Amino acid sequence: MQLKTLKNTNVSNKTVLYRAPYDIGVKKDGNEYIIKDNSRIVATLDTLKYLMDQKCKIVILTYVKRPDGKVVEELRTTPHAKELGKLLGVTVKKVDDCIGTNVQAAVDSLNYGEILMLENVRFYPEENEDNDEFAKKLCEGMDICVFDGFPQAHRANSSTTGILRHLPGVAGFYFQREVEALNELIESPKKPFTLIIGGAKVSDKVDAVNNLMDKVDNILVGGGTANVFLKAKGYEIGNSFVEDVFVGDGEKKDWVQYAKEILGNTNKVHVPEDVVVSMSIEEPIGVRTVELKEGLNQNEMAVDIGPKTIQTYKKIIQVSNTVFLNGNMGVSEVEGFSDGTKQIANALADSSGMTVIGGGDTIEAVKAYGDINKISHVSLAGGATLEFLAGKKLPALEMLKT
Ligand code: ADP
Ligand code: MG
């Protein structure tokens, strides 16, 4: 896959509309709001520094969460601008709109090499509709679009596909890193390739698993996902969380049935041989390790993979040259239920192969328990990551190909 990239484009002294991936939630800190997590801002610093060195006027566009087409005070981009300024050591200017005369005046008065943050584009209802008139207004006075909104690339919005219709567009460095790493998983993974799927729901991940099925050598399941497979195998899993029926797109899907089909079609799937159980998912009550061949009691829930499973999974990871992890191995936010996730995260960190992780909760867990700096690629794009791996076309990405 060939992308139009920043390095292959002359941007010097241009006014750049920088599509940032700053859809980051905020929390209250005294009287002001601050962002919850700066990973997506850190991920864009190299692109922004490059644009500053190229003496661009940098105008940042993003949406933040779901204000539903109206102004919501706590969803302004002000905390995002502050955090970016802090990380770059410069003042990031801020304007309280994303189109119109105030924006034009702020862009005009910007010096080359300076940064201006626009207001949350989702304050306008036109954004979600990919309204073309609105997209045109977003592009007024801009020379080029540098696109780092990979986590938004699966959406056709005015601030994604819309702006790319009206401006020449190139991928920023962060966007390029995501596409290159994820593309390697699809196109040319070094074998053996191990896919580790956990977390709460099967439905989020099933399309990606299916698309990678022929390329992977092993699929290790953990967390709530494992429960579905264990049930499909006929094990007694007590009161464990199981996403058994999913209603979507007008169809019902029985995930246990589906897991049966997968297990019938391939022998690549490994399920836990033992699990840690508790009578509560919120705190450790009556915790013990149970072998699946013995089964859980009716009031017990699987909350983590057990020690034997951890050892089996670690051995597979050790001999793998590519590993992708999405979803934690248990309810890792609760102390006492986090060992599986911790040990699998460490096994990834110790691997000399290519390691990729994705998913908000997974990244949180690896940050908390592992060494995230030893992971080859941390995909910050959530749903877009999974759609990419599922082989779906991401509309904004399509427009950034050569
Ligand atoms: P990600 O955000 O990394 O994509 P998910 O959102 O799919 O991951 O899943 C994370 C959630 O899965 C966590 O809140 C965790 O508590 C939950 N989970 C993991 N294992 C279990 C389990 N055995 N039973 C219930 N919930 C689980
Ligand atoms: Mg999650």
Side-chain angles (χ1 to χ4, degrees):
M1 180 191 305
Q2 290 294 336
L3 281 179
K4 291 183 248 179
T5 60
L6 190 47
K7 273 281 159 69
N8 291 328
T9 311
N10 179 13
V11 290
S12 91
N13 288 89
K14 296 212 163 138
T15 302
V16 171
L17 183 61
Y18 178 67
R19 197 346 171 156
Y22 301 160
D23 181 16
I24 309 165
V26 295
K27 58 184 178 189
K28 203 122 201 210
D29 179 43
N31 283 330
E32 61 172 345
Y33 288 99
I34 58 169
I35 57 166
K36 279 185 186 156
D37 179 85
N38 70 7
S39 310
R40 282 188 181 172
I41 299 187
V42 171
T44 61
L45 295 178
D46 58 343
T47 306
L48 288 166
K49 282 181 189 156
Y50 181 80
L51 296 175
M52 288 164 78
D53 287 344
Q54 294 291 313
K55 297 277 172 278
C56 298
K57 284 191 183 191
I58 306 159
V59 182
I60 304 184
L61 178 67
T62 188
Y63 63 62
V64 179
K65 300 293 147 190
R66 298 180 185 278
D68 293 333
K70 55 186 188 308
V71 176
V72 173
E73 282 306 318
E74 64 180 81
L75 295 180
R76 291 193 181 278
T77 54
T78 315
H80 307 69
K82 261 192 199 155
E83 180 67 17
L84 175 61
K86 207 161 82 188
L87 289 166
L88 284 173
V90 301
T91 302
V92 171
K93 296 182 175 167
K94 167 79 207 300
V95 60
D96 291 334
D97 209 333
C98 59
I99 54 166
T101 47
N102 285 348
V103 171
Q104 290 313 309
V107 174
D108 285 344
S109 67
L110 206 60
N111 291 316
Y112 286 90
E114 283 187 339
I115 305 178
L116 173 71
M117 177 77 79
L118 300 177
E119 192 49 273
N120 187 350
V121 64
R122 277 192 174 165
F123 286 177
Y124 284 91
E126 291 92 333
E127 158 68 357
N128 279 5
E129 304 154 8
D130 193 3
N131 179 298
D132 202 53
E133 277 306 303
F134 182 66
K136 210 165 157 184
K137 286 181 197 164
L138 290 170
C139 298
E140 216 168 291
M142 308 292 159
D143 299 319
I144 187 167
C145 174
V146 175
F147 201 98
D148 260 343
F150 185 73
Q152 293 76 34
H154 59 318
R155 300 192 190 282
N157 290 162
S158 295
S159 75
T160 58
T161 40
I163 54 176
L164 291 171
R165 282 195 302 272
H166 293 283
L167 287 173
V170 295
F173 300 140
Y174 161 66
F175 192 102
Q176 198 180 342
R177 275 195 298 278
E178 286 274 18
V179 171
E180 284 172 0
L182 299 176
N183 202 46
E184 195 173 326
L185 296 183
I186 296 182
E187 297 291 335
S188 52
K190 278 217 188 92
K191 310 274 270 175
F193 177 13
T194 296
L195 189 62
I196 313 174
I197 298 295
K201 292 185 185 169
V202 183
S203 52
D204 292 344
K205 289 147 197 175
V206 67
D207 291 340
V209 173
N210 278 333
N211 192 45
L212 293 170
M213 189 67 87
D214 292 338
K215 283 135 192 155
V216 300
D217 300 285
N218 308 289
I219 300 173
L220 314 182
V221 295
T225 302
N227 297 341
V228 174
F229 282 87
L230 290 169
K231 194 169 172 187
K233 287 198 133 199
Y235 289 119
E236 182 48 68
I237 58 165
N239 198 22
S240 297
F241 168 78
V242 174
E243 183 192 26
D244 47 3
V245 176
F246 170 69
V247 186
D249 301 338
E251 57 159 349
K252 273 191 175 181
K253 212 159 203 167
D254 182 338
W255 293 112
V256 175
Q257 184 54 38
Y258 190 78
K260 273 186 196 158
E261 283 162 28
I262 293 183
L263 290 164
N265 290 336
T266 174
N267 52 10
K268 292 174 180 176
V269 180
H270 298 254
V271 303
E273 57 211 279
D274 58 350
V275 289
V276 175
V277 303
S278 168
M279 257 110 80
S280 163
I281 208 154
E282 273 121 41
E283 53 179 334
I285 298 178
V287 173
R288 64 183 189 113
T289 299
V290 177
E291 307 252 337
L292 266 311
K293 57 178 190 262
E294 268 139 43
L296 280 64
N297 296 328
Q298 279 316 308
N299 55 359
E300 290 179 325
M301 296 167 234
V303 291
D304 198 3
I305 54 175
K308 281 190 182 167
T309 306
I310 292 174
Q311 288 318 312
T312 305
Y313 285 10
K314 273 179 121 171
K315 280 195 191 121
I316 294 172
I317 295 167
Q318 274 158 11
V319 298
S320 297
N321 282 314
T322 307
V323 184
F324 175 66
L325 167 70
N326 184 282
N328 32 22
M329 296 293 98
V331 188
S332 59
E333 53 269 51
V334 177
E335 224 188 292
F337 303 161
S338 60
D339 201 47
T341 305
K342 188 188 286 182
Q343 298 227 39
I344 296 304
N346 285 331
L348 257 71
D350 291 342
S351 162
S352 55
M354 163 141 175
T355 50
V356 181
I357 66 169
D361 293 290
T362 307
I363 294 169
E364 279 301 303
V366 174
K367 267 190 192 158
Y369 306 118
D371 187 348
I372 197 136
N373 295 318
K374 287 196 182 150
I375 303 297
S376 318
H377 180 70
V378 178
S379 184
L380 300 173
T385 302
L386 291 170
E387 288 200 17
F388 185 95
L389 292 176
K392 295 180 190 162
K393 283 201 184 327
L394 313 186
L397 166 59
E398 290 303 306
M399 298 175 78
L400 291 164
K401 288 183 183 172
T402 51

